Amino acid sequence: MTNHSAKNTDRSPQPQEERVPEPGAELIVEIRELAESGDGVAFLNGRKVFVPGTIPGEKARIRISESHQNYISGTVSGIIESSPWRSRAEITPADSSCLPLRHIAYGRQLEIKKETVESAFRKAGLDLAVPPVTGSGTVSGYRNKTIYYVRQNEDGSPAIGTFGRGSHRITDIETGICASDSGTAWRTGLLVKKWMRENGITGWNEMDETGLVKALVIRVSSSGETMVILVTSKADVPAVKVLAESLEKSGISSFYVNINPLPDNTVMRGDLMLVSGKDHITDRILGLRCRITPFSFFQVNRGQAERLYSCVRDFLGTVPGTVFDLYCGTGTIAMTVSGNAREVYGIEIIDDAVGDARNNAGINGITNCEFISGKSEEIVPELSAKGIKPDAVIVDPPRKGLAGSLVSMLLEMKPERIVYVSCLPKSLARDLKALSAEYRAGKISCFDMFPDTVHVETVVLLSRGK
């Protein structure tokens, strides 16, 4: 006979699901680690609590902003126990949206970036010593290219500035300039905002895909030449000549309108219309003149770029034959190393960048660089079929790293040296592990191209032989 009453006699406590704190709740937490985003991380009931503007070792009072089953987000209400590495009590709204480490002393930032590279190598099973990160000579105002997004406030007035972290809410430039932006960019942004307000020009509305002005791109050369690109949803821009006159009076060298009708997050694409001034500005890096047009790639931190390119040239050394520069952009690295080799082939998928590279080589009288448009993994076999094979290769891929097929080609071609320039330690470590079948990593250098952010640039020399 089954005893059904047994179910009612067990009065032992039953496990209950931990409650997730509701948004708005205030808690005191201890920050234990730093996330890849730069946020401090605390732990609550086994869940990670992400708190921007905090440092490991700190105790903080926070307010919950988002609450999920797997993670929690919070904002700082006050620091109870401060880290010795804290350099400022708080940062501006503009800084918090683009400079997640600005509250941390710069020397400690460099250590954090070194630890990031070490961690990526360790997780990939690589036993490589990482040297101290080379700091930036300029920590504030270093950006020579600034992108401001343009939106419409509820009252119909324009909003121009940066997106808040993890959102598309504008932190307006009138709230404060992001410390990495140049004063020229900030003043130009205010001028454009004034023009929009006075002429009834609308900002972009992402919800219903209406409005005219979507973004503002400002580029400043080392000589002070400034290019302004107004990104719009259509070609008809009322009072555009009024804006052109204002920009000319403020010393702007070149003013374009870029017509980008598509509603996605790509800032610039489509047709360009030169409204006033020159069609380019000219910058210099390591003595080379570089012609910059609206779509040109050029390193944002010029001083650090010179240090990085010098490192690439030194790591490469003298090459008696051919160098391939893959993902060559506008050809700056190829031109920098052209004196070290008989010939350099630069390969880049963006047609406009290849055009800039050819122009730049011509401007500087460099005749041993040839630039080819296309995917590296497709152009390399074509060159090989013509009997053109590299003695050394430079790769400077995007954040996702090298295509798998390109790694296989490098292992098959067996150039004596590979100089790998990386903007993401995780993909770098993956690729170094794959290349370790034929190559050993020798010299390593790290550079802080973007102070107050989590980003770090790494250069590695790979030589044949395990």
Side-chain angles (χ1 to χ4, degrees), residues 110 134 218 227 246 281 306 345 363 433:
L110 298 179
T134 300
I218 301 142
M227 174 181 288
S246 297
I281 58 176
E306 291 195 327
Y345 288 86
I363 290 169
K433 184 69 173 178

Side-chain angles (χ1 to χ4, degrees), residues 63-84:
R63 183 182 297 274
I64 302 300
S65 53
E66 293 182 31
S67 195
H68 305 274
Q69 285 297 326
N70 296 325
Y71 72 94
I72 299 167
S73 298
T75 57
V76 177
S77 301
I79 301 294
I80 298 171
E81 294 180 8
S82 180
S83 165

Side-chain angles (χ1 to χ4, degrees), residues 161-328:
T162 55
F163 286 142
R165 295 183 67 194
S167 77
H168 276 202
R169 294 188 302 273
I170 291 286
T171 299
D172 200 282
I173 52 175
E174 292 192 68
T175 305
I177 181 175
C178 184
S180 64
D181 295 347
S182 68
T184 299
W186 180 67
R187 289 188 295 272
T188 303
L190 291 177
L191 190 154
V192 172
K193 187 175 183 181
K194 179 174 182 287
W195 165 76
M196 291 181 67
R197 195 165 47 232
E198 291 178 352
N199 292 277
I201 307 297
T202 56
W204 181 247
N205 185 322
E206 292 176 302
M207 299 300 292
D208 58 13
E209 299 177 6
T210 60
L212 179 61
V213 182
K214 302 174 77 174
L216 177 65
V217 181
I218 301 142
R219 311 189 71 152
V220 184
S221 76
S222 54
S223 64
E225 288 186 307
T226 302
M227 174 181 288
V228 173
I229 305 135
L230 191 74
V231 183
T232 62
S233 59
K234 54 186 179 181
D236 183 19
V237 182
V240 70
K241 292 298 183 183
V242 174
L243 177 58
E245 291 173 5
S246 297
L247 292 173
E248 285 178 4
K249 288 178 182 177
S250 69
I252 300 303
S253 313
S254 174
F255 173 38
Y256 279 92
V257 169
N258 171 228
I259 302 98
N260 177 7
L262 298 183
D264 60 22
N265 292 329
T266 302
V267 176
M268 288 177 55
R269 61 146 60 88
D271 296 330
L272 285 166
M273 178 173 65
L274 179 64
V275 181
S276 64
K278 303 191 300 181
D279 66 351
H280 70 281
I281 58 176
T282 303
D283 213 325
R284 285 185 176 272
I285 190 163
L286 291 176
L288 297 168
R289 286 188 298 155
C290 298
R291 173 188 166 105
I292 296 175
T293 56
F295 288 108
S296 295
F297 172 80
F298 194 76
Q299 285 283 0
V300 166
N301 187 332
R302 186 183 300 103
Q304 280 295 81
E306 291 195 327
R307 296 181 183 93
L308 186 146
Y309 292 165
S310 295
C311 173
V312 171
R313 183 173 57 194
D314 291 344
F315 279 12
L316 182 70
T318 301
V319 180
T322 302
V323 173
F324 283 1
D325 180 13
L326 311 183
Y327 311 93
C328 72

Side-chain angles (χ1 to χ4, degrees), residues 22-198:
E22 297 292 329
E26 287 209 340
L27 306 168
I28 293 176
V29 297
E30 184 177 342
I31 306 302
R32 300 294 184 88
E33 59 188 47
L34 207 64
E36 289 183 359
S37 61
D39 293 346
V41 180
F43 292 87
L44 181 65
N45 299 331
R47 299 178 181 88
K48 285 188 174 184
V49 185
F50 296 94
V51 189
T54 58
I55 306 172
E58 292 188 327
K59 187 176 286 186
R61 180 179 291 105
I62 69 168
R63 183 182 297 274
I64 302 300
S65 53
E66 293 182 31
S67 195
H68 305 274
Q69 285 297 326
N70 296 325
Y71 72 94
I72 299 167
S73 298
T75 57
V76 177
S77 301
I79 301 294
I80 298 171
E81 294 180 8
S82 180
S83 165
W85 298 114
R86 180 168 287 276
S87 62
R88 62 198 72 220
E90 57 185 30
I91 56 179
T92 69
D95 283 343
S96 67
S97 66
C98 56
L99 302 175
L101 301 184
R102 186 157 169 74
H103 58 292
I104 301 177
Y106 189 55
R108 179 57 186 147
Q109 289 185 33
L110 298 179
E111 291 176 355
I112 289 169
K113 297 185 183 200
K114 178 178 184 289
E115 291 163 5
T116 299
V117 179
E118 289 173 332
S119 175
F121 286 171
R122 187 169 55 252
K123 289 176 181 177
L126 299 170
D127 183 18
L128 299 174
V130 179
V133 176
T134 300
S136 176
T138 304
V139 177
S140 296
Y142 59 82
R143 296 189 68 91
N144 56 49
K145 178 182 178 182
T146 301
I147 298 174
Y148 291 134
Y149 298 94
V150 184
R151 297 295 183 264
Q152 194 82 353
N153 291 319
E154 290 184 3
D155 63 2
S157 62
I160 299 181
T162 55
F163 286 142
R165 295 183 67 194
S167 77
H168 276 202
R169 294 188 302 273
I170 291 286
T171 299
D172 200 282
I173 52 175
E174 292 192 68
T175 305
I177 181 175
C178 184
S180 64
D181 295 347
S182 68
T184 299
W186 180 67
R187 289 188 295 272
T188 303
L190 291 177
L191 190 154
V192 172
K193 187 175 183 181
K194 179 174 182 287
W195 165 76
M196 291 181 67
R197 195 165 47 232
E198 291 178 352

